[in-house]
Amino acid sequence: MKILYLTDQVYLHGGIEKVLSQKANYFADSSGDEVFIVTYNQEGKTPVYDFSSKIIWEDLAINYEIGKSYFHPKNLKKIPKHISALKDVLGKINPDVVISSSFGPDFYFLPYIRKNSPKIKEFHGSRYFYEKQESGFKKRLLHLLNKIIEKKYTSIAVLNEDEQNFYTNDNIAVIPNPAEISDKRAGLKSKKIMAAGRISPVKNFGDLIEIFSKISKDFPEWELHFFGEDYLGTQQLLEHKIAEFGLQNQIKFKGNVPDLKSEMQNYSIYAMTSETECFPMVLLESLSIGLPIISYDCPTGPKYIVKNEEDSFLIPNKNLDIFTEKLKLLMENEQLRQELSKRGLENVSRFEINIVMKQWQNLFEKVSSSGKK
């Protein structure tokens, strides 16, 4: 089968890029499929993750200005070139199935190009707040347009059961992200807590700083470390908050690292206080090396990954008091961390890549045999 993935780029660290490498490598190396990855903003840069040498690459060289909206005039004028280039590459490759991985301008015109090729749109984020937010006329109009376009895809793929309620396509598949199972293991003896992700408001790291401040005096030897790149000056705001609590020696920013899972081996607890998460890869990575998790039950994804009080603590959303109580329990009880770790290693097997990719294979067969749009 010829499988073609569309995405903007693969040179930045991110969940979409990481999962794309897992899936594309699986089909290229394990299933023997012919795999193509077509980008439009790669700019000749090296992929950040390892990809199979069997994958065939093509960059359309549209090079949108990523600091601006796709609806900015400077980007809008590049869309005709994008449409033409995409028509050419789909005509040349003639794929059996096309999967749109990232969200960009091609979302709006892909269904109308080479209609005989089934097209699947992946959604990696949560639509929880997207659906609930109050907005002006322009945003409501855009939301309506998005819903009209998404119905034009052969299928929509979402990451958990809650998310399928936010879409109107008649063919919605719920397929989780795969976990990478390895021999790496968290030591669980260090007095360090980890949190990771882009340093942005949606990650809500401020809550975690406040929670840690409530118990830091009881655990002066413990540290809280944040991994990830800064977004729009959010880190500076958090550093001011840390200074207000006088915790500069216990809370540190570690930046980006090439292999987060290797770093995880040096920690004893993974903590998440995000505003929203659809299917956070970092929780899969934590479970896969036996790193105990404490997380808000934020909309909509963590509850589909962790099992409360079995391999992790899932805290009622925004409840700082309960989060503080359970975090303190984890910090003072190594035996509990060991027990959670053991069960996490067992439970993560349900996301093993062979199991997840079988679901993708079934979806490809379904859209290919049900009639091409």
Side-chain angles (χ1 to χ4, degrees):
M1 178 177 282
K2 285 185 178 180
I3 301 170
L4 190 152
Y5 284 98
L6 294 176
T7 193
D8 57 344
Q9 52 71 39
V10 291
Y11 65 82
L12 294 174
H13 285 276
I16 294 175
E17 293 79 10
K18 176 65 174 179
V19 174
L20 176 57
S21 72
Q22 291 175 285
K23 293 187 292 191
N25 289 347
Y26 180 89
F27 285 123
D29 294 331
S30 300
S31 295
D33 294 292
E34 197 171 0
V35 179
F36 301 81
I37 296 180
V38 177
T39 57
Y40 56 82
N41 260 60
Q42 188 64 19
E43 299 180 341
K45 297 177 181 177
T46 303
V48 69
Y49 299 108
D50 291 330
F51 285 87
S52 168
S53 61
K54 297 177 182 178
I55 294 171
I56 302 166
W57 294 84
E58 181 133 8
D59 183 56
L60 304 182
I62 309 302
N63 300 332
Y64 292 105
E65 295 190 27
I66 59 175
K68 294 180 170 61
S69 164
Y70 284 122
F71 294 97
H72 189 281
K74 288 188 177 181
N75 284 328
L76 283 175
K77 70 180 183 181
K78 296 183 179 184
I79 287 178
K81 177 185 175 182
H82 194 170
I83 294 173
S84 177
L86 194 52
K87 280 182 178 178
D88 289 344
V89 78
L90 292 184
K92 178 178 67 176
I93 295 172
N94 190 24
D96 294 299
V97 63
V98 179
I99 307 97
S100 176
S101 299
S102 61
F103 193 92
D106 55 343
F107 166 75
Y108 296 98
F109 52 79
L110 176 61
Y112 302 98
I113 297 176
R114 198 168 182 82
K115 293 183 179 181
N116 63 324
S117 295
K119 299 176 181 70
I120 299 169
K121 179 72 190 101
E122 296 180 345
F123 285 95
H124 295 267
S126 176
R127 267 201 178 176
Y128 181 85
F129 289 113
Y130 173 91
E131 290 289 319
K132 292 180 178 297
Q133 66 182 352
E134 295 182 8
S135 58
F137 174 75
K138 288 184 179 179
K139 285 190 176 180
R140 290 199 303 271
L141 188 61
L142 182 60
H143 293 176
L144 177 61
L145 176 61
N146 288 348
K147 287 182 175 294
I148 291 171
I149 297 298
E150 73 192 34
K151 292 185 73 172
K152 300 295 183 181
Y153 282 85
T154 315
S155 181
I156 296 293
V158 298
L159 291 168
N160 67 59
E161 293 173 7
D162 279 1
E163 289 300 318
Q164 65 184 330
N165 299 320
F166 302 133
Y167 296 89
T168 56
N169 191 292
D170 293 331
N171 184 9
I172 300 176
V174 180
I175 306 178
N177 285 329
E180 282 188 340
I181 311 299
S182 71
D183 295 330
K184 294 177 180 177
R185 295 291 179 267
L188 306 181
K189 293 185 179 295
S190 72
K191 299 185 185 302
K192 294 189 294 185
I193 302 162
M194 167 188 276
R198 187 163 62 164
I199 313 299
S200 64
V202 73
K203 295 302 180 182
N204 194 30
F205 290 139
D207 271 16
L208 186 52
I209 292 169
E210 185 172 343
I211 289 164
F212 186 79
S213 74
K214 295 175 182 292
I215 50 180
S216 58
K217 290 183 180 179
D218 295 330
F219 300 91
E221 70 278 25
W222 277 78
E223 294 185 3
L224 168 62
H225 294 174
F226 292 106
F227 287 82
E229 63 182 344
D230 184 31
Y231 179 69
L232 298 179
T234 305
Q235 181 171 322
Q236 185 177 26
L237 296 176
L238 294 174
E239 288 172 339
H240 288 160
K241 190 180 187 76
I242 292 166
E244 288 175 2
F245 288 120
L247 293 173
Q248 298 93 322
N249 293 329
Q250 286 180 265
I251 303 179
K252 301 173 183 177
F253 290 91
K254 311 294 282 188
N256 265 337
V257 291
D259 186 355
L260 187 64
K261 188 179 287 189
S262 293
E263 292 290 336
M264 285 179 168
Q265 296 177 95
N266 303 315
Y267 289 80
S268 292
I269 300 168
Y270 186 86
M272 176 176 281
T273 50
S274 297
E275 295 281 350
T276 178
E277 293 280 354
C278 188
F279 203 88
M281 288 294 293
V282 70
L283 296 190
L284 287 180
E285 291 176 320
S286 297
L287 290 178
S288 72
I289 69 161
L291 183 62
I293 295 165
I294 178 167
S295 171
Y296 276 160
D297 184 14
C298 62
T300 57
K303 66 184 177 184
Y304 289 101
I305 298 175
V306 305
K307 295 188 176 183
N308 187 34
E309 299 199 10
E310 184 174 327
D311 57 31
S312 308
F313 285 123
L314 194 61
I315 308 301
N317 198 28
K318 297 289 188 177
N319 194 315
L320 274 71
D321 290 338
I322 296 178
F323 200 113
T324 303
E325 173 192 337
K326 295 298 185 181
L327 180 59
K328 182 178 180 180
L329 181 62
L330 278 174
M331 292 166 72
E332 63 190 6
N333 193 331
E334 183 184 333
Q335 180 59 37
L336 175 59
R337 300 199 298 270
Q338 295 287 352
E339 292 171 1
L340 295 179
S341 172
K342 180 181 178 181
R343 290 194 288 270
L345 290 167
E346 295 169 354
N347 291 339
V348 77
S349 63
R350 69 192 191 277
F351 301 113
E352 199 271 329
I353 193 164
N354 290 315
I355 295 174
V356 172
M357 298 314 293
K358 181 60 178 176
Q359 296 177 61
W360 276 107
Q361 288 173 324
N362 291 341
L363 178 59
F364 290 170
E365 291 171 6
K366 179 180 178 181
V367 298
S368 296
S369 63
S370 64
K372 298 181 178 181
K373 286 192 173 184

